[in-house]
Amino acid sequence: MALQQRLDLRQTQALVMTPQLQQAIKLLQLSNLELADYVDREMEQNPLLERDDGDRNRDPAPDGVDREEVVARGDDLPVRDTADLTSSDHMGSSSDAPLDTDFENVWTNSSAVDMAADGMGEGGEAFGNWSGRGGSFEDDENSFEQTLSGSVSLRDHLTEQITMDIADPLDRMVAFALMDYLDEAGYFTGDIAVVGDQLGCTESQVVSVLERLQRLDPVGIFARSLKECLALQLRELDRLDPCMQALLDNLPLLAARNVPALLKVCQVDAEDLADMVGEIKALNPKPALAFDHEPVQTVVPDIVMRAQPGGGWLVELNSDTLPRVLVNQRYYARIQGAARNKQDKEYLTEQFQSASWLVKSLHQRANTILKVATEIVRQQDAFFLHGLQFLRPLILRDIAEAIGMHESTVSRVTTNKFMATPRGLFELKYFFTSAISGADGQASHSAEAVRYRIKVLIDAEKPDEILSDDRLVEILRDEGIDIARRTVAKYREAMKIPSSVQRRREKALGI
């Protein structure tokens, strides 16, 4: 076979995503916190972007340039699917201007009364002109914030008690060393022998200090096991009798709800055993969790839903989670006219195109989220009216076909997005559940609704009528739900509900 050179002409199709399209797709799947962080970074890099803080009385721009904030509201901008933008009509080169930058909808804020400029009446004085420590609101030395108490850490709490209760310097040094081995639950996780070798003292001295530390507050601190932690608290309550000690020595039997074995080892009747179990349940197995706890982070909903007086639902975006970014078009026109070389002009044009695309991408993202959420509310109307048992099976394709978008777009929109409803705060992904076929050709049921029904049946069972998994299958099939026994067991275990044998033992103990 001879080697030769030749020219061939081939025509192929390839998907080329511009940076603008990649940005629009990325914005869809960001949460409100991630979006705010992304916008902040863009504003740091782009001098033409400004945040809409609702204040029209701003300081003049540098060099005396008057600034006029222009926001692309895009009322006539259709909600486009990001999958549609990959067509050849929308996949221009990165050097082309991807947007129409002819904005005429100038944002204006409603007028407000400037309280600082108004006087306090005849003989009065404006707030900003007050002076003197007696009547000023600007008293930094005695501010309200300085009167608030801070949270006390576990280490500070224990240090104060050790300083007061242990006078011997060596014992105090051992106590502080033992405190370094506490875990987040308050248990001592160190080795007595290792601590003794490190400090150059005997193991008996370390044990003696540890026993003194176990009498500190909170009760149960410095315990070396769950059994010892519960014993310390029961001793403080004067309830550590031989029967209770026998119960603590057999905690695995209590975890297995083995009532006959517990009655035998504790030498008590069923009523006394139930009382003892109730006392143990009232104890704190993790005494240190009252200190150094992290504050609960509240989820801010992206969509707010509420009932309308005349019927139906009102779905709207939470304005607090939407970053309001403005494009300063007049400032851009002024500095572009002052640019002298080609490099500066290209830089300004690029920044203006990037800022304009970001504003429109944010608007498109908001409209897409609202459109998806509205369709979810429409299809899950029975759930919002009557409860979880009426949650219908739903997949991404159902929403995508209803609103005319791609499934990938709906998937990105429902990621890390939350909706506040009259029935609570839900992630949009919550409303998408698999379907379980109905018996005798009936309508299918949502898997989440079936799990809820199983939980309701188990919660309502009587102590002498514990429902097995087979009995649950029979009841659900009588209600028109065709489900297998292994599926019932899987749903029950996912909800952390014990088996019928363990539940029967719990009912016998009264727990």
Side-chain angles (χ1 to χ4, degrees):
M1 181 177 178
L3 298 177
Q4 60 180 354
Q5 294 180 346
R6 65 179 182 178
L7 296 177
D8 289 335
L9 181 62
R10 296 182 180 180
Q11 184 177 3
T12 60
Q13 291 182 347
L15 178 62
V16 180
M17 299 179 64
T18 62
Q20 291 82 3
L21 179 58
Q22 295 178 13
Q23 181 191 57
I25 295 176
K26 180 181 179 180
L27 292 181
L28 280 178
Q29 59 189 6
L30 295 182
S31 63
N32 49 25
L33 296 178
E34 294 171 341
L35 180 64
D37 183 64
Y38 178 83
V39 171
D40 289 341
R41 293 197 304 267
E42 290 294 322
M43 292 182 62
E44 292 177 358
Q45 300 173 4
N46 197 325
L48 302 179
L49 285 175
E50 291 185 352
R51 189 178 300 278
D52 175 14
D53 56 2
D55 186 8
R56 296 291 295 176
N57 299 323
R58 298 180 181 177
D59 295 334
D63 301 329
V65 178
D66 295 332
R67 298 192 177 187
E68 177 183 2
E69 293 79 7
V70 182
V71 59
R73 277 183 2 195
D75 296 336
D76 56 346
L77 181 65
V79 181
R80 305 298 300 273
D81 187 356
T82 53
D84 298 337
L85 297 179
T86 59
S87 62
S88 59
D89 298 337
H90 300 88
M91 299 302 296
S93 62
S94 58
S95 60
D96 297 336
L99 302 172
D100 179 12
T101 56
D102 184 13
F103 303 128
E104 295 181 357
N105 46 344
V106 180
W107 177 84
T108 57
N109 190 14
S110 58
S111 60
V113 180
D114 190 357
M115 296 299 295
D118 293 340
M120 298 300 294
E122 294 184 2
E125 189 176 16
F127 282 114
N129 297 328
W130 279 21
S131 62
R133 287 290 180 186
S136 173
F137 292 105
E138 303 296 334
D139 190 357
D140 295 334
E141 296 182 0
N142 300 307
S143 61
F144 175 73
E145 289 80 2
Q146 295 187 3
T147 64
L148 299 178
S149 60
S151 59
V152 180
S153 65
L154 176 64
R155 189 175 187 87
D156 294 339
H157 184 64
L158 295 176
T159 300
E160 182 179 357
Q161 298 179 75
I162 292 174
T163 304
M164 296 179 60
D165 296 346
I166 302 179
D168 184 79
L170 181 57
D171 290 346
R172 186 180 297 178
M173 180 182 63
V174 174
F176 286 128
L178 294 176
M179 188 168 57
D180 293 334
Y181 289 94
L182 289 179
D183 61 7
E184 60 181 9
Y187 288 84
F188 174 73
T189 59
D191 189 342
I192 298 296
V194 173
V195 175
D197 293 339
Q198 291 177 347
L199 300 179
C201 55
T202 61
E203 294 186 19
S204 60
Q205 187 176 4
V206 177
V207 172
S208 176
V209 174
L210 180 62
E211 292 176 351
R212 296 180 63 181
L213 294 177
Q214 290 177 347
R215 295 194 291 267
L216 300 181
D217 181 75
V219 182
I221 199 72
F222 285 98
R224 287 164 286 188
S225 63
L226 175 62
K227 169 186 171 181
E228 188 175 27
C229 179
L230 299 178
L232 292 173
Q233 299 179 54
L234 290 171
R235 185 181 295 112
E236 182 71 15
L237 298 173
D238 196 18
R239 283 292 297 122
L240 191 60
D241 51 25
C243 296
M244 187 66 76
Q245 185 63 53
L247 180 59
L248 294 180
D249 293 337
N250 295 273
L251 287 179
L253 295 178
L254 178 60
R257 274 80 173 179
N258 194 339
V259 178
L262 289 175
L263 294 176
K264 182 178 180 180
V265 298
C266 296
Q267 298 296 319
V268 294
D269 55 17
E271 183 178 357
D272 291 338
L273 181 61
D275 293 339
M276 294 166 60
V277 173
E279 292 180 7
I280 290 181
K281 290 178 62 178
L283 303 177
N284 185 7
K286 298 180 179 180
L289 291 188
F291 300 86
D292 300 332
H293 60 278
E294 294 292 334
V296 178
Q297 299 294 334
T298 305
V299 177
V300 180
D302 301 87
I303 307 104
V304 178
M305 167 195 169
R306 60 178 180 270
Q308 297 190 89
W313 306 102
L314 178 62
V315 182
E316 58 185 357
L317 295 174
N318 186 1
S319 58
D320 294 337
T321 63
L322 296 177
R324 302 183 179 184
V325 182
L326 307 176
V327 181
N328 196 329
Q329 187 179 14
R330 179 172 297 180
Y331 179 63
Y332 162 71
R334 292 290 183 87
I335 60 177
Q336 186 186 38
R340 296 292 181 242
N341 53 58
K342 180 181 178 181
Q343 183 178 1
D344 293 343
K345 291 182 179 181
E346 290 179 352
Y347 170 77
L348 293 174
T349 302
E350 179 184 353
Q351 294 301 316
F352 184 77
Q353 292 176 0
S354 176
S356 302
W357 182 269
L358 177 62
V359 171
K360 283 194 173 182
S361 297
L362 291 175
H363 174 72
Q364 177 178 315
R365 174 185 180 272
N367 279 354
T368 306
I369 293 175
L370 184 60
K371 197 170 185 179
V372 172
T374 302
E375 183 61 25
I376 291 176
V377 171
R378 189 187 68 81
Q379 298 209 26
Q380 298 290 1
D381 179 70
F383 162 75
F384 296 111
L385 289 176
H386 306 293
L388 184 59
Q389 63 270 25
F390 291 91
L391 185 68
R392 57 170 295 188
L394 190 66
I395 58 177
L396 296 175
R397 188 185 303 112
D398 298 334
I399 300 297
E401 293 177 353
I403 63 179
M405 291 186 176
H406 198 268
E407 290 183 45
S408 61
T409 303
V410 178
S411 177
R412 292 186 180 95
V413 169
T414 54
T415 301
N416 296 324
K417 309 296 187 306
F418 294 84
M419 180 166 58
T421 72
R423 293 196 175 274
L425 184 66
F426 299 95
E427 188 180 8
L428 294 184
K429 290 286 188 184
Y430 174 82
F431 300 101
F432 297 91
T433 60
S434 58
I436 296 179
S437 60
D440 300 331
Q442 298 182 12
S444 58
H445 303 269
S446 169
E448 190 67 29
V450 174
R451 280 193 288 266
Y452 175 76
R453 181 57 181 160
I454 293 175
K455 185 177 185 303
V456 170
L457 291 174
I458 293 178
D459 291 342
E461 63 185 4
K462 299 179 181 179
D464 55 346
E465 296 180 3
I466 302 299
L467 301 176
S468 64
D469 292 343
D470 292 328
R471 179 55 182 159
L472 290 173
V473 170
E474 296 176 0
I475 296 176
L476 293 175
R477 287 183 176 175
D478 293 339
E479 297 178 355
I481 303 175
D482 187 10
I483 189 172
R485 180 186 179 279
R486 62 179 179 273
T487 306
V488 172
K490 182 181 68 174
Y491 288 170
R492 176 179 53 77
E493 292 173 358
M495 293 184 290
K496 301 186 183 303
I497 297 177
S499 64
S500 58
V501 176
Q502 291 179 331
R503 297 201 306 273
R504 187 175 291 107
R505 292 173 178 175
E506 290 180 1
K507 299 293 183 180
L509 285 174
I511 59 177

